[in-house]
C-alpha cells in the first residue's frame, strides 16, 4: 500500500527526470562550445580552434539524421543532431569572419609604410576544388553551400538505398565513427604545434563530461550498438587531449624568434 501510495509522487518524478535527461541530450552537446565561442569573440583570434572539428560534427550529424530515416532511434538523439548542426554553422561563421578580418589587418600593416594600394587576397571558394584550401575558404556562404551539397548527395544515395539493411547499418556506423573522431583534429593540431594555446580547456572538460554522460545514456536506454562504441571512443580522445594540455603546460616549447603572427594559418 505504501508503494502504491507513493505512485502519485514517483511517476511524475520519473517523468521529470526523463525529460531532464532528454533535454540534456538535445542541448548538452553544444554547451562545450560556448566557452570557445566566447574566447574567439573576446580575443578575435580563432587560430587555437580547429575548424575541422566543425566539419567532423557536421558530417557525423547529417549522416545520423539520414540513418534515422532507415532505422528510427530516440527523438532526443535526432533533435541533438539538428541543434548541433546549427551550432557548428554559428561557430564556422564566427571563425571565418575573424580569420578574414585578421588576414586583412595583416595586409594593412604590411602596406602601412608603403604608398601602395592594399591588395585583396584571392577569394578561396570550395568550387575551386583546391585541396590546399579545403575547409579554409574566404566566405561563410562557401561552407553553407558545401554542407548543402553534401547533404543533397548523401540524401539522394540514402533515398535510393533505404531498403537495404546493410546500407542502413553501414550508414549508422559511418555516422558514429565520424563523430567518434570529433576530437582528433584538435588532438592533431595540439601535437603539431606542441601547444594547446588558444584551445579552451573548459571546452575539453565539458566534452569529457558530456561524452561520459552520453555514453551512459546510450547504454542505459538500449541505443544501437554504434552509438555506445562512438561514445567510448570519444571519451578516450577527450582524455588524450586533456593529457596533452597537462604535458604541454609542464613542458612548454622553447619560444621561437618573434615574427609576424599570421592569424590566417590553418588550425590544422
Amino acid at each position: 500500500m505504501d508503494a502504491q501510495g507513493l505512485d502519485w509522487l514517483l511517476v511524475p518524478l520519473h517523468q521529470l527526470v526523463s525529460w531532464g535527461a532528454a533535454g540534456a541530450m538535445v542541448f548538452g552537446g553544444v554547451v562545450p562550445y560556448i566557452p570557445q565561442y566566447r574566447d574567439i569573440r573576446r580575443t578575435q583570434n580563432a587560430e587555437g580552434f580547429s575548424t575541422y572539428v566543425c566539419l567532423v560534427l557536421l558530417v557525423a550529424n547529417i549522416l545520423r539524421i539520414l540513418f534515422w530515416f532507415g532505422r528510427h532511434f530516440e527523438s532526443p538523439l535526432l533533435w541533438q543532431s539538428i541543434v548541433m548542426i546549427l551550432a557548428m554553422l554559428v561557430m564556422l561563421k564566427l571563425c571565418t569572419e575573424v580569420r578574414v578580418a585578421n588576414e586583412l589587418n595583416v595586409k594593412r600593416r604590411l602596406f602601412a609604410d608603403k604608398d601602395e594600394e592594399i591588395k585583396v587576397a584571392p577569394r578561396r571558394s570550395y568550387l575551386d576544388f583546391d585541396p590546399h584550401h579545403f575547409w579554409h575558404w574566404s566566405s561563410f556562404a562557401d561552407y553553407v553551400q558545401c554542407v548543402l551539397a553534401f547533404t543533397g548527395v548523401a540524401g539522394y544515395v540514402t533515398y535510393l538505398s533505404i531498403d537495404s539493411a546493410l546500407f542502413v547499418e553501414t550508414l549508422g556506423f559511418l555516422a558514429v565513427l565520424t563523430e567518434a573522431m570529433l576530437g582528433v583534429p584538435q588532438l592533431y593540431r595540439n601535437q603539431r604545434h606542441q601547444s594547446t594555446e588558444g584551445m579552451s580547456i573548459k571546452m575539453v572538460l565539458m566534452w569529457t563530461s558530456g561524452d561520459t554522460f552520453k555514453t551512459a545514456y546510450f547504454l542505459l536506454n538500449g541505443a544501437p550498438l554504434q552509438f555506445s562504441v562512438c561514445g567510448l571512443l570519444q571519451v578516450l580522445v577527450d582524455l588524450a587531449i586533456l593529457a596533452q594540455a597537462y604535458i604541454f603546460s609542464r613542458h612548454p616549447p622553447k619560444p621561437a624568434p618573434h615574427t609576424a603572427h599570421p592569424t590566417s594559418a590553418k588550425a590544422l
Side-chain angles (χ1 to χ4, degrees):
M1 293 296 294
D2 292 340
Q4 292 179 352
L6 290 176
D7 283 349
W8 67 272
L9 176 63
L10 295 178
V11 172
L13 183 61
H14 180 269
Q15 188 66 44
L16 185 62
V17 171
S18 298
W19 286 346
M25 282 300 302
V26 173
F27 298 103
V30 304
V31 172
Y33 298 95
I34 295 176
Q36 186 70 69
Y37 184 90
R38 296 179 63 183
D39 286 347
I40 294 174
R41 288 203 61 170
R42 176 176 55 82
T43 63
Q44 288 298 296
N45 189 338
E47 186 181 356
F49 175 71
S50 174
T51 54
Y52 284 89
V53 170
C54 300
L55 173 62
V56 169
L57 279 174
L58 286 169
V59 171
N61 284 282
I62 290 170
L63 293 179
R64 185 196 285 187
I65 292 173
L66 295 176
F67 175 55
W68 181 86
F69 287 99
R71 181 179 175 184
H72 288 355
F73 46 80
E74 290 193 334
S75 297
L77 299 179
L78 177 64
W79 283 106
Q80 180 197 51
S81 293
I82 296 172
V83 171
M84 183 62 74
I85 288 172
L86 296 176
M88 290 303 99
L89 290 175
V90 171
M91 283 291 294
L92 275 175
K93 186 174 186 297
L94 175 65
C95 291
T96 304
E97 290 174 350
V98 168
R99 188 186 69 246
V100 171
N102 287 339
E103 287 177 352
L104 184 57
N105 288 337
V106 169
K107 290 185 176 295
R108 284 174 176 167
R109 286 196 296 269
L110 291 176
F111 285 89
D113 298 328
K114 300 179 182 180
D115 188 16
E116 299 181 25
E117 183 180 356
I118 298 176
K119 297 179 181 179
V120 179
R123 185 180 184 277
R124 298 185 293 269
S125 169
Y126 84 101
L127 292 177
D128 296 336
F129 300 108
D130 185 347
H132 297 291
H133 292 147
F134 177 75
W135 211 247
H136 196 68
W137 301 311
S138 302
S139 172
F140 173 66
D142 289 303
Y143 293 94
V144 175
Q145 293 170 23
C146 181
V147 170
L148 291 176
F150 173 78
T151 304
V153 172
Y156 181 68
V157 173
T158 301
Y159 173 76
L160 295 178
S161 309
I162 197 68
D163 293 329
S164 170
L166 177 61
F167 173 82
V168 172
E169 292 301 322
T170 302
L171 183 65
F173 177 75
L174 289 176
V176 296
L177 180 63
T178 305
E179 186 175 356
M181 298 297 104
L182 163 65
V184 172
Q186 192 68 51
L187 185 75
Y188 175 74
R189 184 263 168 204
N190 296 343
Q191 191 64 34
R192 180 183 177 187
H193 294 275
Q194 292 292 295
S195 171
T196 57
E197 183 179 359
M199 182 192 74
S200 173
I201 299 298
K202 293 179 181 178
M203 178 186 71
V204 183
L205 289 172
M206 289 182 183
W207 275 357
T208 308
S209 59
D211 291 337
T212 303
F213 168 80
K214 181 171 63 176
T215 303
Y217 182 91
F218 291 155
L219 293 172
L220 293 175
N221 287 274
L225 179 63
Q226 296 99 321
F227 289 89
S228 300
V229 173
C230 162
L232 290 172
L233 288 175
Q234 282 183 286
V235 171
L236 292 176
V237 174
D238 296 340
L239 294 176
I241 295 176
L242 289 175
Q244 283 182 326
Y246 175 77
I247 293 171
F248 295 152
S249 65
R250 299 266 302 185
H251 306 285
K254 295 180 180 179
H258 179 72
T259 56
H261 188 60
T263 55
S264 62
K266 290 185 181 179
L268 178 64

